[in-house]
Amino acid sequence: MSRAIELRSLLNRTPLGAFRWQVVLSCWLIAVLDGFDVQSMAFVAPVLAPLWQIPKAVMGQVLTAGVVGLLVGSLLAGRLCDRYGRRPILLGAVLLVSAGSLLSSLAADVTQLIATRVVTGIGLGGVTVACLALTAEYAPDNARASVVTAMYVGFPIGGSLAGLVAAPLIAQFGWQGVFVLGGLAPLLLILALWRSIPESLRFSALAGEAPERVGAILSRIAPDYSYQPGDRFVVEQAPAGRARLSQLFSDGRGLGTVLFWFICFANLLVLYLLINWLPSILKQANASQAAANLAAVMFNVGGILGSVALGRAVDKLGAVRTLTVGYLLAAATVWLLARADGGSILAIIALAGAGVMGAQFCVTAVATTFYPTEIRSTGVGAALGFGRVGSLAGPLLGGWALGAGMAPAQIFVSLAVPMLACGLATLLLAGAFGARRVVEQPGVA
């Protein structure tokens, strides 16, 4: 006898168990190692610049190279994940990160280093999109922001590890040691996780995968479910593999898409400027190298705590209210950095990380709830891809500002402006979510 199994309903009424936490943990571990790779160049730059006699403006181009790859990788991965599945794109992207980082350790000049950082960035962009989509689709609706954010904090944890181990690695093995570790660790991890990372259940059902395979995974999630021949798995969206960018602007999603693109652009501009240049900015303010590296670690620690707190608040209090508070916190603390002294600067940097990094991870988690399954990777990938334009601008602007002799206080005050604009933009997201619901459910206010 044929049964119709509605996946969304079953996943929502079943508590998060060992299998789903295994998926989240797998993506989290990948995110940790990729976060290491994202920020590794920021800790190599202060050592490599004088060694190779690289001007700050040119080093800005080196730092931007990885972001160029992130932009390309985010856009490509969004489409490829919706066409071929989350799992193969995730595994392939991790291998690309590993190859790019190992090649970076072999670079003999700036041109080669830029090329290898682009390759690494393409892999990182793919990892981000695939991890977000896979985690979101195994999470229940009422905890999705918390679960996705819990996975996403792996990236700043990896960045913190890079800050802690970069100095001893460079002292022992030279700057190349940072990239060798950043390349070998993801390779070893992916070999360990190859069998444990499943495909998205919703994607599998939409793509017409064999029902017994979908049923086998579902039985590991829901104890009360047992596969029977003839079971059909129902997903609330249209068939997979047909996602188009135009769908991001249809059915009441246009305003939300534009807002997510703007917020990601402005937020990532500030985030990547600080990720890449914070140690150098503080050194220009006469901090020691050790103190500058510690400040970068504190920025990531704040990002970790802020991401978890904001993600939980989204599920409890709603996206708009939470994100607005997060961005106002970011604007205020970045502005305060211009006036902080030695006794308070680490605490303010941690709060700035909670606002700037925490809000970015949180808004990405919120974006996964805005788009339906068949265009989720495309929607999130496009938002991150557009945001990567800000990621490109951030390191370039940082290099230009430092090269032009702009005072650290002036830089921090300038960065408070885009964070305030993000806070204002989030206020409009309520209307965007409302417009989408009215179109999807006519007659519902």
Side-chain angles (χ1 to χ4, degrees):
M1 181 177 177
S2 177
R3 297 186 301 175
I5 309 298
E6 209 288 308
L7 288 177
R8 180 176 182 178
S9 175
L10 193 150
L11 291 173
N12 281 340
R13 71 171 183 264
T14 304
L16 280 167
F19 181 81
R20 286 201 273 184
W21 278 119
Q22 173 189 306
V23 174
V24 177
L25 178 61
S26 297
C27 290
W28 181 86
L29 288 171
I30 293 171
V32 168
L33 296 182
D34 286 348
F36 183 99
D37 280 301
V38 166
Q39 296 196 33
S40 59
M41 192 66 226
F43 299 105
V44 169
V47 175
L48 194 59
L51 185 64
W52 285 5
Q53 297 183 334
I54 306 173
K56 286 186 172 65
V58 176
M59 184 55 74
Q61 296 174 21
V62 176
L63 294 169
T64 302
V67 186
V68 172
L70 279 164
L71 169 61
V72 175
S74 296
L75 292 173
L76 285 176
R79 303 300 300 277
L80 293 174
C81 281
D82 285 334
R83 182 172 294 274
Y84 299 109
R86 285 56 164 147
R87 183 178 187 274
I89 304 307
L90 175 58
L91 297 176
V94 172
L95 293 176
L96 193 59
V97 170
S98 177
S101 189
L102 291 173
L103 288 171
S104 295
S105 71
L106 301 175
D109 55 40
V110 171
T111 302
Q112 292 180 12
L113 187 58
I114 287 175
T116 58
R117 298 312 294 168
V118 170
V119 172
T120 307
I122 292 173
L124 290 168
V127 166
T128 302
V129 172
C131 279
L132 282 169
L134 191 61
T135 303
E137 289 168 5
Y138 272 99
D141 289 350
N142 64 355
R144 182 172 292 157
S146 297
V147 172
V148 170
T149 305
M151 180 280 299
Y152 215 169
V153 297
F155 287 95
I157 290 174
S160 298
L161 290 175
L164 293 173
V165 306
L169 277 175
I170 292 171
Q172 185 70 30
F173 303 105
W175 62 267
Q176 295 93 338
V178 177
F179 293 129
V180 171
L181 178 59
L184 289 178
L187 181 62
L188 295 175
L189 178 63
I190 205 64
L191 292 175
L193 297 180
W194 190 273
R195 287 183 171 273
S196 65
I197 298 177
E199 182 54 87
S200 159
L201 277 175
R202 294 182 183 185
F203 178 87
S204 297
L206 289 169
E209 190 170 321
E212 57 269 23
R213 291 186 180 180
V214 178
I217 294 176
L218 195 58
S219 64
R220 299 178 65 183
I221 295 173
D224 60 344
Y225 171 79
S226 179
Y227 175 74
Q228 297 179 11
D231 280 357
R232 294 180 295 106
F233 299 100
V234 179
V235 183
E236 68 275 14
Q237 284 92 26
R242 300 179 183 176
R244 300 183 305 275
L245 284 175
S246 60
Q247 290 176 269
L248 306 183
F249 298 91
S250 61
D251 297 332
R253 290 187 287 265
L255 176 61
T257 293
V258 171
L259 289 172
F260 279 120
W261 287 14
F262 170 78
I263 293 169
C264 286
F265 167 83
N267 198 164
L268 287 171
L269 184 151
V270 176
L271 177 59
Y272 272 79
L273 191 152
L274 292 174
I275 282 176
N276 287 288
W277 285 112
L278 185 58
S280 298
I281 293 172
L282 295 176
K283 280 197 70 179
Q284 185 157 311
N286 299 318
S288 67
Q289 185 64 59
N293 282 0
L294 178 59
V297 171
M298 292 303 296
F299 183 78
N300 281 285
V301 170
I304 295 164
L305 298 176
S307 299
V308 174
L310 291 174
R312 188 62 178 164
V314 165
D315 288 329
K316 294 294 185 181
L317 305 175
V320 173
R321 186 181 308 172
T322 301
L323 287 173
T324 301
V325 171
Y327 282 121
L328 292 178
L329 171 67
T333 50
V334 171
W335 180 79
L336 283 173
L337 282 175
R339 290 154 179 79
D341 55 28
S344 63
I345 191 167
L346 288 180
I348 295 175
I349 284 175
L351 287 173
V356 176
M357 189 180 293
Q360 173 57 41
F361 291 172
C362 192
V363 79
T364 308
V366 172
T368 66
T369 71
F370 185 76
Y371 297 104
T373 298
E374 79 272 19
I375 60 169
R376 178 169 292 125
S377 289
T378 298
V380 175
L384 289 175
F386 193 82
R388 295 305 176 194
V389 178
S391 304
L392 288 170
L396 287 175
L397 288 172
W400 171 83
L402 288 171
M406 183 179 290
Q410 292 177 291
I411 295 174
F412 290 132
V413 169
S414 299
L415 295 179
V417 176
M419 300 315 299
L420 181 60
C422 286
L424 297 176
T426 57
L427 293 175
L428 301 175
L429 276 175
F433 273 91
R436 186 202 60 175
R437 283 194 294 269
V438 167
V439 172
E440 292 178 352
Q441 303 177 41
V444 178

